[in-house]
Amino acid sequence: MGKDDHEWETAGLDGLTVGRAAALVGVSVRTLHHWDAVGLVRPSGRTWGGYRLYSGDDVARIHRVLVYRELGFPLAEIARLLDDPGTGVRAHLRRQRSQLLERISRLQRTLGAVDRMLEAEATGMRLTPEEQVEIFGDDWQPAWIEEAEERWGDSAQWAQYAERAAGRTPEDWKELTAETHALDADLAAAKRDGVPPGSEEANALAERHRVLLSTYFDCTHGMQVCIGRTFVDDPGFAAHYDAIAPGLSVWFRDVISANAEAHGVDPETATWE
């Protein structure tokens, strides 16, 4: 008869042997031995022969340890958290639930990004940084894509952008870039000519911009206002537009806001929706 068999035979009705507890929670016997040695989970009882016996409360503590470990906490920190006299079982469960929901959300966003990359790779149309600079110009920074994904990556609009981008050829991107440069030139000319925001000409330019954005994702006037704010608030965008024409960033933001107001959107309270 082996040691494990002996443990099973000598286990009382008031607890689980280390082998049975390990099988129940899905860890190894060696792991439970280690957690006992470091004081993380100590069994509440012993058999007459000195073998470990785990109570229901012990098993519940093991489960809490497993959740914290899954969340990335080191064992020493887990011990400190579990032994905090000011934190009860329900508080631990609530905290773990909240942290698990946060991790699930992060994993879902990561999964979405991987799915979009797989789709892009499958079409063979994902542009390299060198291709981006060649198509979009020498002042293009490939890192802008990463920054945009960090800001909007969990939105439905980013998913639309990724899906549409995956199906575009380099020629498609060149055409869109040409349209963007043409719009920039017309914006600069209007700014130099003193075209006021809210005028018919300025509103037409704002609508051209919104239609161009809508080739990437469905863009409402409220969303366009949010984007227009970044033309002033974001140093990179501000430098880009002001390099085309001095003061263009502020003027263009005001043009977008005035056009949105003409379409029933209050630019002061516009949100991304």
Side-chain angles (χ1 to χ4, degrees):
M1 178 181 294
K3 179 179 178 180
D4 285 344
D5 294 328
H6 182 67
E7 283 189 272
W8 280 76
E9 282 197 355
T10 57
L13 297 177
D14 294 330
L16 299 174
T17 64
V18 65
R20 192 172 176 190
L24 180 65
V25 299
V27 299
S28 67
V29 170
R30 178 178 296 180
T31 294
L32 291 185
H33 284 175
H34 175 65
W35 290 356
D36 182 11
V38 299
L40 183 59
V41 181
R42 285 182 171 147
S44 299
R46 295 274 176 172
T47 68
W48 62 266
Y51 296 110
R52 299 170 175 85
L53 286 178
Y54 290 81
S55 68
D57 287 343
D58 297 335
V59 173
R61 182 179 173 96
I62 292 171
H63 280 296
R64 291 195 289 276
V65 170
L66 291 173
V67 173
Y68 277 126
R69 192 174 67 168
E70 180 67 21
L71 290 168
F73 286 85
L75 293 184
E77 178 67 9
I78 295 173
R80 187 190 68 78
L81 288 170
L82 292 180
D83 294 332
D84 181 359
T87 305
V89 172
R90 289 184 64 84
H92 278 297
L93 292 174
R94 289 194 186 98
R95 176 165 53 192
Q96 289 182 329
R97 185 179 189 279
S98 175
Q99 291 170 330
L100 284 169
L101 287 174
E102 290 177 6
R103 183 171 185 187
I104 289 170
S105 179
R106 289 195 302 271
L107 289 173
Q108 286 176 331
R109 290 196 296 270
T110 302
L111 176 61
V114 171
D115 285 343
R116 292 192 294 271
M117 287 189 287
L118 283 172
E119 183 177 358
E121 292 295 338
T123 63
M125 298 304 174
R126 190 174 181 88
L127 299 176
T128 66
E130 293 76 16
E131 288 172 328
Q132 293 176 37
V133 172
E134 178 185 355
I135 293 172
F136 303 138
D138 292 338
D139 61 343
W140 173 260
Q141 298 181 31
W144 286 346
I145 295 294
E146 296 178 6
E147 293 172 5
E149 184 166 12
E150 183 176 348
R151 180 179 296 177
W152 294 302
D154 58 352
S155 68
Q157 289 72 34
W158 183 266
Q160 280 186 333
Y161 163 79
E163 181 179 358
R164 296 175 187 182
R168 288 196 170 111
T169 65
E171 289 70 27
D172 293 331
W173 286 113
K174 290 177 182 178
E175 183 177 341
L176 286 171
T177 302
E179 292 180 22
T180 301
H181 288 166
L183 176 59
D184 287 346
D186 290 343
L187 289 168
K191 170 66 170 62
R192 287 193 296 268
D193 292 343
V195 174
S199 65
E200 185 176 347
E201 183 178 352
N203 286 347
L205 288 169
E207 280 302 299
R208 275 180 61 189
H209 176 254
R210 192 177 66 83
V211 170
L212 183 58
L213 287 176
S214 293
T215 63
Y216 299 98
F217 58 88
D218 298 338
C219 182
T220 66
H221 289 94
M223 292 176 188
Q224 188 185 18
V225 168
C226 294
I227 293 172
R229 292 171 186 154
T230 67
F231 296 162
V232 176
D233 298 338
D234 186 289
F237 278 124
H240 168 75
Y241 282 107
D242 290 342
I244 297 172
L248 183 59
S249 59
V250 173
W251 179 84
F252 191 19
R253 178 203 60 190
D254 293 344
V255 165
I256 291 172
S257 295
N259 181 63
E261 192 167 12
H263 285 82
V265 174
D266 182 356
E268 295 297 325
T269 59
T271 57
W272 189 268
E273 57 183 4

